[in-house]
Each structure stands twice: as structure tokens, then as C-alpha cells.
Amino acid sequence: MNSTTLIIGACGQIGTELTLKLRAVFGNESIIASDIKEGSDELMNSGVFEILDATNKEAILKIIKKHHVDKVYLMAAMLSVTAEKYPDKAWDLNMNSLFHVLNLAKEKHISKVFWPSSIAVFGNTTPRINTPQETITEPSTVYGISKLAGERWCDYYYNHFNVDVRSIRYPGIISWKTLPGGGTTDYAVDIFHKAIETNNYTCFLKEDTNLPMLYMEDAIKATIDLMQSDKINNYTAYNIGGISFNPMQIATEIKKHIPEFKINYHVDFRQEIADSWPDSIDDSQAREDWNWFHKYDIEALTKDMIKNLTPSLETI
Ligand code: SER
């Protein structure tokens, strides 16, 4: 029997589109989706799905054996805002799921792992503009601490046990298929939904808060290209940049399509999280090593988001 690829956390914002893309490229039967709960109809109907708790190593191993899994994409995680509310649960999920998968690779049950890191590994002491690949990493959030620890463990397992684990420091990801949940960069998705539904959005970040962002199609391309590449020089986590904008700039873009749109601001505790993260990212190592480039700028992603989120005339 041919080997398969397992996505853990397949029903989340990135997991859903990653699973669908991998199925389109490699065939539905070779991509096994799993999550703690069921996902969208499109995901559930396009291939095998297993209920799986990412913190249960035996359960992961059982599915690996049942489906002859060779590669794992571990996408299950608690994001920055939720992790501040539930630090113990965030540490348990973000760390133990990674340990289980790294150990399963060390024990040779699987041969390759993808694990997402984040711009949250950076902190207030990190250079904020064009943040380098290697720089000061002193995160001030629970989420950032878990991602930084995870990066160090990936590096450790690569160096000590030759585990092929690859990672990207995702910026905020903008998409229309599946909502994000519990993140600080989520405003950049929510703003589109509210603009289309009510012509109005109250933003929890200040108008000039720049954050690195990426459109989903680019994020998926980066993830799959990194896993396919044979020119990797970094088994910790690659910076990938792309675009960077603030709430005022994205609101200006949206107004070009929805002139009535109005944004107002009611800043809350999430501002402090955003303020500790970079404005923009230097991703030259990813560009050199595996030819990473992004396609969508702020104009292109705004156009695509509005096109896909606006109910079509036929359905009214
Ligand atoms: N999107 C994440 C968050 O906001 C950052 O990686 O928590």
C-alpha cells in the first residue's frame, strides 16, 4: 500500500485549505485529515477523516499505522489571544502535540514533519522593521513562548536524532474559506466579513499598527514548497514575509470596493500583543534556499476576499 500524509488540525483556518490543496495535488486518497471535531462539508467529503486528539500519542500512532502515514503536518495549536486566557491548556496542546510527533519521527514511524511557528517568537526587544531570520527572540506572550520553545525542540531533534522537521514563522494569514480563531491578526479577516455584512468595523488595534501578513494561497504554497524542497539549510523555522499593513491601510483598500465602509477603533488588550510583534519580516533566506516568493499584495488579496465573501446575485 502507498504511504499517506496526515494533517493534524485539518479543520482549522490553515489546516482546511492545506488539506484541500494537498488532496488536489497528490490525490484525495493519499491525504488523511484529522481534528478534534469535524470540519467543513468540502473537507469532510473530499477524503478520509479521523477524529484525533493531538495530545494523545497513542491515538496518533494508531492512525499512522492504520493509514500507513509517512509525513505529518501538525497544524493543531492554540493561538495568541486564547493562549493568554488559558496558558496551561495552550502549553499542553502546543508543546505536547509537537513532542509526540517529533518522538514518532525519532522512533521512525514517520519520515517528515511540518510544524508551524509564528512571528510571535519575536518580542519587544526584536528589531521591528525587516526582522532578520536570526535575531533577538524574547517573546512576551504565552503563544510566543510555546512557539519559540517548539523551534528549539525542532532544532534539537534535527541535530540529535536526525528528524526531518520543517517550519515556517507564519505571519497573520488572511483567508475566506475557514475563519481563524483566537489570534491577534484575526482582525484582518473579520474586517472583510463586517464590511460586507454591515459596512462597519470596530477594530481592536490602533489604526497605525503594522503587522506582517500573507494571503492564504501564498501561505499554502510556502508550506508545500518547503516540504517538497531538497535545498533546506534551516531545520528550525524560516521567516516568510510578503506584505505588511495596518488597519487604516486595509480599510482604505476595502473602501475602494465598498465606498460606504467605515472603520472605528476600540483598542483593547490585544494591542499589547500586536505591539510586541514585528512590522515587517526579512525572508531572504527562504527566497534564496527554496525560491519562496509571494503573489498577493494588499490590492490583490482585498479584491479576492471581497469577491469570495460577497453573496452572489444568483443566490439572493
Ligand atoms: N495569527 C497568529 C495570532 O495572531 C500569529 O501567528 O495569534
Side-chain angles (χ1 to χ4, degrees):
M1 190 184 165
N2 292 336
S3 63
T4 64
T5 296
L6 173 66
I7 322 295
I8 301 176
C11 301
Q13 186 201 10
I14 304 176
T16 299
E17 297 206 38
L18 178 65
T19 305
L20 294 172
K21 183 68 183 180
L22 287 169
R23 283 180 173 166
V25 175
F26 298 105
N28 288 356
E29 62 297 332
S30 65
I31 308 298
I32 314 299
S34 72
D35 207 305
I36 195 91
K37 55 170 181 20
E38 294 194 354
S40 68
D41 288 348
E42 193 183 5
L43 181 107
M44 300 304 293
N45 296 333
S46 59
V48 175
F49 176 83
E50 298 273 6
I51 291 284
L52 177 62
D53 172 1
T55 62
N56 182 339
K57 188 183 176 199
E58 287 314 307
I60 303 173
L61 180 57
K62 211 168 141 190
I63 287 173
I64 286 175
K65 287 187 171 162
K66 179 175 167 190
H67 295 287
H68 304 273
V69 172
D70 181 45
K71 298 186 194 76
V72 171
Y73 289 75
L74 172 57
M75 308 308 286
M78 198 182 280
L79 296 190
S80 58
V81 175
T82 320
E84 289 304 302
K85 288 191 191 140
Y86 308 105
D88 303 25
K89 277 192 196 159
W91 185 257
D92 179 39
L93 172 62
N94 295 2
M95 285 293 94
N96 286 328
S97 60
L98 176 61
F99 263 127
H100 296 334
V101 173
L102 289 176
N103 282 326
L104 289 165
K106 177 186 159 193
E107 292 154 15
K108 309 269 182 244
H109 294 290
I110 48 177
S111 72
K112 217 185 227 185
V113 175
F114 178 84
W115 174 79
S117 186
S118 162
I119 54 163
V121 298
F122 302 119
N124 286 309
T125 50
T126 304
R128 207 172 283 277
I129 315 279
N130 264 332
T131 301
Q133 174 70 46
E134 279 169 36
T135 184
I136 303 165
T137 45
E138 295 180 325
S140 54
T141 62
V142 173
Y143 178 62
I145 294 168
S146 76
K147 289 293 174 186
L148 180 59
E151 283 192 8
R152 300 323 307 155
W153 281 117
C154 290
D155 185 66
Y156 188 91
Y157 271 69
Y158 172 70
N159 284 312
H160 288 77
F161 311 121
N162 208 21
V163 167
D164 185 346
V165 53
R166 303 176 180 203
S167 181
I168 282 172
R169 290 171 177 152
Y170 286 128
I173 308 292
I174 297 159
S175 68
W176 54 270
K177 268 197 182 170
T178 308
L179 283 172
T184 306
T185 57
D186 294 9
Y187 93 83
V189 175
D190 203 26
I191 193 170
F192 285 98
H193 288 266
K194 296 289 186 325
I196 289 162
E197 286 157 23
T198 66
N199 291 338
N200 213 298
Y201 180 64
T202 303
C203 188
F204 56 79
L205 297 180
K206 287 187 212 151
E207 61 177 21
D208 58 353
T209 310
N210 289 310
L211 285 168
M213 300 278 182
L214 208 53
Y215 200 45
M216 181 63 89
E217 197 178 308
D218 283 329
I220 299 296
K221 174 165 74 76
T223 307
I224 297 175
D225 284 356
L226 174 63
M227 281 295 266
Q228 294 293 104
S229 175
D230 51 12
K231 287 189 291 174
I232 303 301
N233 290 309
N234 174 342
Y235 288 85
T236 307
Y238 276 96
N239 275 6
I240 56 167
I243 48 178
S244 175
F245 59 75
N246 61 42
M248 193 171 51
Q249 288 166 323
I250 192 77
T252 305
E253 274 312 312
I254 292 174
K255 258 184 217 251
K256 290 183 190 165
H257 301 265
I258 308 172
E260 313 78 26
F261 176 60
K262 286 205 168 45
I263 184 166
N264 44 72
Y265 298 89
H266 184 78
V267 172
D268 68 20
F269 68 99
R270 289 171 279 192
Q271 183 68 44
E272 201 181 319
I273 301 178
D275 283 344
S276 76
W277 291 350
D279 281 23
S280 57
I281 298 285
D282 174 359
D283 57 6
S284 43
Q285 193 185 10
R287 289 179 190 262
E288 272 162 37
D289 287 3
W290 42 279
N291 299 323
W292 154 246
F293 65 93
H294 70 282
K295 209 169 98 187
Y296 285 85
D297 58 14
I298 186 169
E299 279 136 44
L301 78 82
T302 302
K303 209 169 142 202
D304 207 59
M305 284 293 283
I306 291 178
K307 187 181 96 199
N308 282 295
L309 287 175
T310 306
S312 71
L313 291 173
E314 294 105 71
T315 60
I316 294 174

